[in-house]
Amino acid sequence: MKNNELIEALKKINVFCTQKELDQLNKYFELLITWNEKINLTAITDREEVNLKHFYDSLTLSTIVDLSKENSLCDVGTGAGFPGIVLKIFFPHLKLILVDALNKRLNFLKVVCEELGLENVEFIHARAEDFSRQNREKYDIVTARAVSKLNILLELCTPLVKENKYFIAMKGRDSEVDLCDKAILELGLTIEKKINFELPYDGGERNLVKLKKTSKTNKKYPRKFSEIKNRPL
Ligand code: SAH
């Protein structure tokens, strides 16, 4: 989708893109393309496709939770900053925590935040399971896009979520939620809402799953990654 198509599509999901945000997206795109020549950030480099599959797609999260009412958002396995950076551009009041196991991606994200003037962002170079173990019940919204299977992701991310707040999974064609009954129960989660939709411009099917943390997660989670992987919940 072209820039004007992006702006129109965002309006339909109640996201309003002013010149300031558009300038920030333009700068973000330029940095993404330049850095992508040196370090592997994304396979999508065409502007129209980035608009659709990175920028618009990231913002669909705001259709399942009112981010204007939340204080903090932790993006686990943020990679090149999706959805975290895009959400921060449009909801600048959020305290943003970007977690990734690869330091070179975080170095890119630091430059992006500096160049775009995004403040109140933390860059965490760690494996999600380690970060999660040490930062229990800390964030309002925890999310992850394209990081791992949902049952694994739930164990990695749920400890980070404050009680009565949310983990939101951003999934493609399959939400995988039907396979996660046990993990959902065991980790203290309740499914609050599921949304299935098509991205515009034939961008494909997407699923958002909003899980409320209705009770504290047992301290035994997250387990060691080898256990999570070999014996998933
Ligand atoms: N969320 C981004 C990136 C997806 S690629 C997007 O949707 O475009 C997955 C990213 O998760 C990679 O950058 C990888 O380094 C990171 N990752 C995978 N497993 C992780 C883990 N256990 N802890 C921290 N980061 C992890």
Side-chain angles (χ1 to χ4, degrees):
M1 56 175 32
K2 297 183 172 42
N3 282 355
N4 61 325
E5 292 167 335
L6 172 66
I7 293 168
E8 287 308 309
L10 287 175
K11 265 188 211 159
K12 292 190 184 144
I13 58 167
N14 284 317
V15 175
F16 299 95
C17 183
T18 65
Q19 192 59 48
K20 179 177 180 210
E21 283 99 23
L22 189 60
D23 289 345
Q24 286 176 311
L25 291 178
N26 288 339
K27 210 173 257 182
Y28 188 10
F29 175 75
E30 278 167 28
L31 289 166
L32 183 69
I33 298 310
T34 314
W35 278 68
N36 203 38
E37 286 163 14
K38 295 176 282 177
I39 65 169
N40 179 20
L41 291 169
T42 177
I44 300 173
T45 53
D46 169 68
R47 176 62 200 252
E48 294 195 20
E49 212 178 344
V50 169
N51 275 350
L52 177 61
K53 296 193 175 160
H54 286 327
F55 296 162
Y56 179 88
D57 188 59
S58 293
L59 285 159
T60 61
L61 185 134
S62 69
T63 63
I64 203 164
V65 63
D66 183 356
L67 288 174
S68 67
K69 297 204 171 82
E70 305 295 343
N71 291 314
S72 54
L73 183 136
C74 177
D75 183 10
V76 175
T78 186
F82 306 117
I85 295 277
V86 187
L87 292 167
K88 175 75 180 169
I89 291 173
F90 286 84
F91 299 89
H93 72 283
L94 286 172
K95 178 186 170 69
L96 178 66
I97 297 91
L98 299 171
V99 183
D100 206 284
L102 278 185
N103 206 28
K104 55 186 182 175
R105 299 209 168 122
L106 291 167
N107 289 336
F108 164 71
L109 295 171
K110 283 177 195 164
V111 172
V112 169
C113 288
E114 226 168 79
E115 295 278 319
L116 271 59
L118 301 177
E119 285 169 359
N120 209 358
V121 183
E122 279 179 33
F123 306 88
I124 311 289
H125 174 217
R127 295 218 33 114
E129 55 278 19
D130 300 328
F131 180 66
S132 197
R133 211 170 284 122
Q134 287 148 19
N135 293 275
R136 310 185 78 84
E137 270 89 39
K138 251 172 107 165
Y139 306 112
D140 296 332
I141 303 297
V142 179
T143 190
R145 191 187 80 159
V147 175
S148 72
K149 288 271 173 219
L150 186 60
N151 54 353
I152 291 179
L153 207 52
L154 290 176
E155 182 166 346
L156 297 179
C157 296
T158 305
L160 294 165
V161 183
K162 278 187 192 166
E163 250 181 297
N164 294 315
K165 292 293 185 176
Y166 305 96
F167 173 71
I168 299 169
M170 305 189 82
K171 291 300 216 178
R173 192 147 45 88
D174 184 1
S175 79
E176 298 166 31
V177 78
D178 299 336
L179 304 169
C180 294
D181 287 354
K182 186 169 167 236
I184 289 170
L185 188 72
E186 184 67 14
L187 294 163
L189 296 164
T190 309
I191 299 175
E192 175 145 319
K193 200 172 179 184
K194 289 188 273 187
I195 304 182
N196 169 277
F197 60 99
E198 291 278 339
L199 285 180
Y201 299 90
D202 294 324
E205 192 177 344
R206 295 287 184 273
N207 280 283
L208 293 171
V209 186
K210 183 182 189 185
L211 296 132
K212 186 170 185 173
K213 178 145 153 187
T214 37
S215 57
K216 272 213 176 86
T217 306
N218 190 313
K219 284 253 165 63
K220 70 179 177 203
Y221 301 118
R223 297 166 293 164
K224 276 195 266 172
F225 191 72
S226 55
E227 275 182 69
I228 299 176
K229 205 162 173 267
N230 296 331
R231 295 190 295 114
L233 289 172

